[in-house]
Amino acid sequence: MSWDWAEASEPQLLTPGARIMSANKGWWVPPEGEDSVSQKFLRKTRESPLVPAGLGGCLAVAAYRIYRLKARGSTKMSIHLIHTRVAAQACAVGAVMLGEWLPGSQENQNRAD
């Protein structure tokens, strides 16, 4: 069996609906009919405003703990990082729980009225 270079260099056929990604663009462009990343973020923010607050809390806690990294004293690095992760996750979970609790409490007030 001989190897035919012409056969190997033939372009592969695409399946129907396949998208071709162009390397000529310097940025990612969403396919037609889909939102860009910023539009999607703004839509999600309108749907549940506490998600960005939880994300901001995570980032704030992580930034503060990284800033305090030098002043950790005799605490091991792994323990410090675990505490950082737990505090950041607590902000995110707290925001999610608050987001679930607030609409429920507003519905209960409306029923009582």
Side-chain angles (χ1 to χ4, degrees):
M1 179 175 177
S2 67
W3 182 259
D4 187 10
W5 288 103
E7 191 175 294
S9 64
E10 289 179 12
Q12 300 293 322
L13 296 177
L14 296 174
T15 59
R19 298 181 184 146
I20 299 174
M21 296 182 67
S22 174
N24 296 334
K25 297 177 183 168
W27 60 90
W28 179 79
V29 177
E32 292 182 28
E34 292 185 18
D35 293 340
S36 69
V37 175
S38 60
Q39 290 171 339
K40 189 181 292 187
F41 179 74
L42 289 174
R43 187 188 58 199
K44 295 285 185 180
T45 300
R46 278 186 239 110
E47 290 173 3
S48 53
L50 289 177
V51 170
L55 180 62
C58 277
L59 293 175
V61 166
Y64 174 72
R65 296 290 295 189
I66 290 171
Y67 171 74
R68 298 288 300 166
L69 191 63
K70 290 183 180 177
R72 72 180 189 273
S74 63
T75 307
K76 290 183 178 180
M77 174 70 87
S78 61
I79 300 298
H80 181 77
L81 293 176
I82 288 171
H83 290 171
T84 301
R85 179 184 60 86
V86 168
Q89 281 180 333
C91 285
V93 170
V96 169
M97 296 299 290
L98 190 62
E100 290 295 319
W101 177 73
L102 282 178
S105 65
Q106 290 172 355
E107 289 175 8
N108 289 338
Q109 287 179 354
N110 292 340
R111 288 182 192 164
D113 293 341

